[in-house]
Amino acid sequence: MCFVGAEGVTIIKRKKVIAGVGHHVGAWNVAYADFVTAMMAFFLLMWLLNATTEKQRKGIADYFSPTIPVSKVSSGGNGAFSGESVFTEETQAHDGTGATKKDPSIANQTITGDVVSGRAENTEQDPQGNEFASIESALSGTSGESDLENELLQHIVTRVTDEGLIVEIFDLDNSPLFYAGTADPSEKLIALLKMMSKVFNLVENGIAISGHISSLPLVVRNNNNWQITSDRAQKTRLLLTEFGISDSRFERVTGLADRSPAASNLMASRNRRIELTLLRKKAETN
């Protein structure tokens, strides 16, 4: 604004306009949001530390900073992060693999009878965890209670699921459990089931049996995989009964053909197997 004074002096009056004041009024909201986010992360960390066991925390730490060598044919985890061990070369790395000619060190760790378990670390959350652990210990021979030889242990892997303890007895290359195309058991399977019956008699859980087989390389007109797996499951039940398992303990005997493969290669010998499940005991109701 300009005007002329009485003495002819021009006076200029400038009005200072402050722009953008409102733009910075809410800047504190950003800092507050960062603070709330940090607090949420902190309390989440506290909850995780309280909800996990020491072994689980060690496993998480080991995932980010491994202290064990990781092979391209091994999952490399431990405990709850172990993945699935199958002792065969056909299975891909994301499924977990065991003994391999390419890495003898892995073979030394797995072929001697180590078994893989998905058991819960907290026995309070898994009331039957101790029973399943004793079975696995007996099968692996680590407790000295098992008579299984190392050669036979190569055919066994175990895991704990919501249904119960699953014991898989599977074929190895050049070491089948049944003669090809039949339900006639080999001497190794008979020896395995004889020792398995002794271990299973340590508990009184019900038993489920399922038979599995590998896929055929070509589509054939007369595919009898369903019948073969059913016959093999029934033969397994008869042998276990003969070796001392009460027939009343068997709750399910099924043949699943090639519909539930254990290895990614559908024709792999690993898929030819018998699964024995020690079922969890039903909770008693008042």
Side-chain angles (χ1 to χ4, degrees):
M1 179 182 294
C2 300
F3 61 91
V4 180
E7 299 179 357
V9 179
T10 302
I11 301 175
I12 300 174
K13 183 179 181 181
R14 292 186 176 91
K15 183 178 181 181
K16 187 176 181 181
V17 179
I18 301 176
V21 176
H23 178 71
H24 298 286
V25 172
W28 64 273
N29 289 332
V30 178
Y32 179 73
D34 291 342
F35 171 75
V36 172
T37 303
M39 290 299 295
M40 181 182 68
F42 173 75
F43 285 113
L44 181 60
L45 176 63
M46 293 296 99
W47 176 80
L48 286 174
L49 290 176
N50 185 58
T52 56
T53 64
E54 182 65 27
K55 285 187 176 181
Q56 289 173 331
R57 291 192 291 272
K58 184 178 180 182
I60 295 174
D62 193 65
Y63 175 81
F64 293 99
S65 180
T67 57
I68 59 176
V70 180
S71 170
K72 64 181 180 180
V73 294
S74 174
S75 63
N78 187 25
F81 303 92
S82 62
E84 181 184 5
S85 175
V86 294
F87 304 136
T88 58
E89 296 182 30
E90 290 86 354
T91 302
Q92 295 179 346
H94 65 82
D95 289 329
T97 58
T100 170
K101 296 179 181 178
K102 298 179 181 179
D103 193 342
S105 63
I106 298 178
N108 292 336
Q109 296 172 9
T110 58
I111 207 169
T112 55
D114 294 342
V115 290
V116 174
S117 169
R119 73 175 71 92
E121 298 291 344
N122 191 343
T123 56
E124 294 180 358
Q125 299 177 1
D126 187 8
Q128 299 185 53
N130 291 332
E131 293 182 359
F132 291 155
S134 65
I135 296 297
E136 289 182 308
S137 179
L139 290 175
S140 65
T142 56
S143 64
E145 299 175 0
S146 175
D147 296 325
L148 294 174
E149 299 177 356
N150 289 337
E151 183 179 357
L152 297 179
L153 282 170
Q154 299 177 44
H155 292 269
I156 296 177
V157 66
T158 67
R159 68 180 187 275
V160 176
T161 66
D162 292 338
E163 187 178 21
L165 173 64
I166 298 179
V167 180
E168 293 187 26
I169 309 176
F170 53 88
D171 279 10
L172 294 175
D173 294 336
N174 302 320
S175 183
L177 299 177
F178 293 91
Y179 293 104
T182 71
D184 298 330
S186 65
E187 294 182 358
K188 286 186 177 180
L189 178 61
I190 294 175
L192 278 166
L193 293 179
K194 187 174 182 180
M195 297 303 170
M196 200 74 67
S197 63
K198 295 180 180 179
V199 176
F200 278 15
N201 275 330
L202 296 175
V203 295
E204 299 178 352
N205 300 59
I207 300 174
I209 304 176
S210 61
H212 305 264
I213 201 169
S214 58
S215 298
L216 296 174
L218 297 174
V219 177
V220 295
R221 184 173 183 179
N222 297 321
N223 187 338
N224 61 343
N225 282 348
W226 290 101
Q227 188 61 46
I228 290 177
T229 53
S230 298
D231 292 344
R232 289 179 175 181
Q234 287 290 353
K235 185 62 177 180
T236 301
R237 180 187 65 84
L238 292 174
L239 288 172
L240 288 174
T241 303
E242 180 181 343
F243 295 142
I245 299 293
S246 173
D247 191 63
S248 61
R249 292 181 60 184
F250 296 102
E251 298 189 12
R252 186 175 69 247
V253 180
T254 56
L256 299 179
D258 57 352
R259 301 306 173 91
S260 181
S264 57
N265 181 1
L266 301 181
M267 294 182 289
S269 58
R270 175 64 176 84
N271 292 323
R272 297 190 294 271
R273 67 195 191 279
I274 293 291
E275 290 188 359
L276 306 177
T277 304
L278 282 176
L279 302 172
R280 293 183 182 274
K281 297 177 181 178
K282 297 180 180 178
E284 297 181 359
T285 56
N286 296 329

